């Protein structure tokens, strides 16, 4: 996946400003694809030059002007083509690349207290992210009202389910690791 395909997917639901796209991206796709605001705007410009979207400048009184982006037919075609392509190597999508796990692997080189603190921080982060999923659920429910297409929104809920399972697994793993580290 790439940022451009995520943005095309969001624009498929209707025209949005760059601000709205950035916000929608961060509350819906951020778990599995992160993007900075500057990257979003850079990609929007590139996609407009490619003809995948158009923008209209809206003049506003008492507010800054804004650009509203809309998906073009070729942008929709690119999205459908990307969605229709099989994953080149499904195993590559399953591989984990984690600096944190690398640290855990070599944690025998540091004080046990430091290693335990590192694991407790990881556990705390998983707990915080799991709690934050309520906001994602609220966003899915909000956008579900806008899109009004249960077939599409069920897939949003499926990715939300993955996020929940991921953080729950992280918590369970961290609890077992902490127990091992504490010698229980």
């Amino acid at each position: 996946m790439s940022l451009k395909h995520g943005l095309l997917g969001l624009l498929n639901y209707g025209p949005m400003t760059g601000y709205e796209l950035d916000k929608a991206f961060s509350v819906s796709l951020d778990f599995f694809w992160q993007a900075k605001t500057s990257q979003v705007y850079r990609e929007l410009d590139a996609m407009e030059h490619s003809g995948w979207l158009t923008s209209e400048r809206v003049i506003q009184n008492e507010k800054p002007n804004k650009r509203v982006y809309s998906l073009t037919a070729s942008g929709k075609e690119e999205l459908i083509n990307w969605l229709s392509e099989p994953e080149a190597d499904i195993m590559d999508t399953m591989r984990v690349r984690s600096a944190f796990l690398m640290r855990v692997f070599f944690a025998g080189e540091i004080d046990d207290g430091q290693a335990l603190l590192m694991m407790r921080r990881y556990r705390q982060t998983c707990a915080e992210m799991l709690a934050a999923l309520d906001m994602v659920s609220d966003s899915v429910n909000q956008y579900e009202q806008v899109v009004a297409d249960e077939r599409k929104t069920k897939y949003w809920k499926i990715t939300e389910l993955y996020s929940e399972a991921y953080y729950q697994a992280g918590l369970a793993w961290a609890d077992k690791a902490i127990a091992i580290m504490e010698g229980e």
Side-chain angles (χ1 to χ4, degrees):
M1 183 183 133
S2 66
L3 174 57
K4 65 184 170 190
H5 293 110
L7 294 170
L8 288 172
L10 291 172
L11 282 170
N12 188 50
Y13 299 123
M16 290 187 229
T17 65
Y19 173 81
E20 292 166 334
L21 279 163
D22 186 47
K23 183 179 174 191
F25 199 97
S26 70
V27 298
S28 61
L29 305 176
D30 191 63
F31 171 73
F32 46 87
W33 196 270
Q34 297 79 43
K36 294 180 178 158
T37 301
S38 60
Q39 292 172 304
V40 168
Y41 283 100
R42 193 169 40 250
E43 198 63 55
L44 288 170
D45 286 339
M47 289 190 306
E48 188 168 17
H49 288 329
S50 295
W52 292 349
L53 56 88
T54 60
S55 69
E56 178 185 345
R57 186 165 302 278
V58 177
I59 308 298
Q60 302 187 109
N61 295 329
E62 299 181 29
K63 287 183 179 180
N65 297 337
K66 62 184 180 180
R67 283 173 71 181
V68 178
Y69 296 90
S70 299
L71 193 63
T72 64
S74 65
K76 173 79 174 194
E77 184 179 337
E78 171 61 24
L79 176 64
I80 297 302
N81 287 340
W82 175 75
L83 287 169
S84 301
E85 291 174 359
E87 290 292 326
D89 183 357
I90 199 71
M91 285 309 294
D92 279 346
T93 65
M94 302 300 291
R95 290 200 164 107
V96 174
R97 184 176 179 181
S98 169
F100 176 75
L101 286 177
M102 183 81 73
R103 289 173 188 246
V104 171
F105 188 86
F106 292 112
E109 301 300 318
I110 60 175
D111 176 80
D112 287 343
Q114 285 180 285
L116 190 56
L117 180 62
M118 178 176 62
M119 189 58 65
R120 285 187 175 137
R121 284 185 191 139
Y122 175 84
R123 189 197 185 287
Q124 179 63 34
T125 300
C126 285
E128 290 168 1
M129 296 303 286
L130 193 56
L133 284 178
D134 287 342
M135 185 175 78
V136 172
S137 182
D138 291 344
S139 295
V140 167
N141 292 334
Q142 178 186 2
Y143 285 111
E144 185 174 38
Q145 302 305 313
V146 174
V147 173
D149 183 341
E150 283 185 27
R151 186 176 171 284
K152 291 178 182 178
T153 59
K154 77 178 171 185
Y155 294 104
W156 300 352
K157 291 177 182 177
I158 289 170
T159 58
E160 180 186 352
L161 238 139
Y162 180 89
S163 303
E164 183 180 339
Y166 178 86
Y167 291 122
Q168 287 173 341
L171 281 173
W173 173 76
D175 287 341
K176 288 178 184 177
I178 290 168
I180 289 169
M181 294 165 83
E182 291 177 337
E184 294 176 10

